[in-house]
Amino acid sequence: MSVLYSISLPDPAKARGSDPRLSFTASGAEAFAEQLQAALRTTELFDRWKSMQDEPDDVDPSMAATDPTATVTGQQADLRINLQATTSLPGDVFKQRLRLLAGNHWELRDVR
């Protein structure tokens, strides 16, 4: 079952994770949406993060889950960017990917 997450990036310039190798590089709504969608559909971001861990073999394999049908759209709304992500990924996996990409500079607005 898919869930719709409504996310807001109040200050897109600050929407960066703590490690530049993992964080958003986007500057526009469409680019943010594309990067989040890729992080949900593939293991590329997760694999980079896992390889940086002290004990990569101890990482919970369920966190590598992907949703090849995940979709993300983005819209500019004044200074903020709003993202709508539809995915079947568990909430903890979704939030981990978003934290890697944006750090703490995002807001969960709605979940349906």
Side-chain angles (χ1 to χ4, degrees):
M1 181 173 136
S2 290
V3 176
L4 173 66
Y5 293 93
S6 296
I7 306 295
S8 180
L9 305 175
D11 186 347
K14 290 183 179 177
R16 306 291 185 254
S18 60
D19 190 317
R21 295 171 291 178
L22 304 172
S23 69
F24 278 129
T25 59
S27 58
E30 190 173 303
F32 277 106
E34 288 173 4
Q35 289 180 8
L36 177 55
Q37 182 172 285
L40 302 176
R41 287 185 174 188
T42 72
T43 61
E44 181 183 340
L45 177 65
F46 173 80
D47 291 341
R48 279 187 278 147
W49 171 80
K50 181 180 173 183
S51 71
M52 296 165 59
Q53 302 310 298
D54 291 335
E55 297 292 336
D57 292 337
D58 292 343
V59 171
D60 181 354
S62 71
M63 296 303 286
T66 61
D67 176 4
T69 63
T71 59
V72 182
T73 59
Q75 290 184 322
Q76 186 79 39
D78 291 322
L79 299 178
R80 71 177 50 239
I81 289 178
N82 295 319
L83 301 172
Q84 300 284 320
T86 303
T87 182
S88 61
L89 286 174
D92 57 341
V93 173
F94 177 81
K95 290 175 186 176
Q96 187 226 23
R97 305 268 167 90
L98 201 48
R99 280 192 299 272
L100 292 174
L101 291 167
N104 294 323
H105 303 282
W106 58 279
E107 299 170 355
L108 181 61
R109 298 297 206 159
D110 193 19
V111 179
R112 288 186 251 154

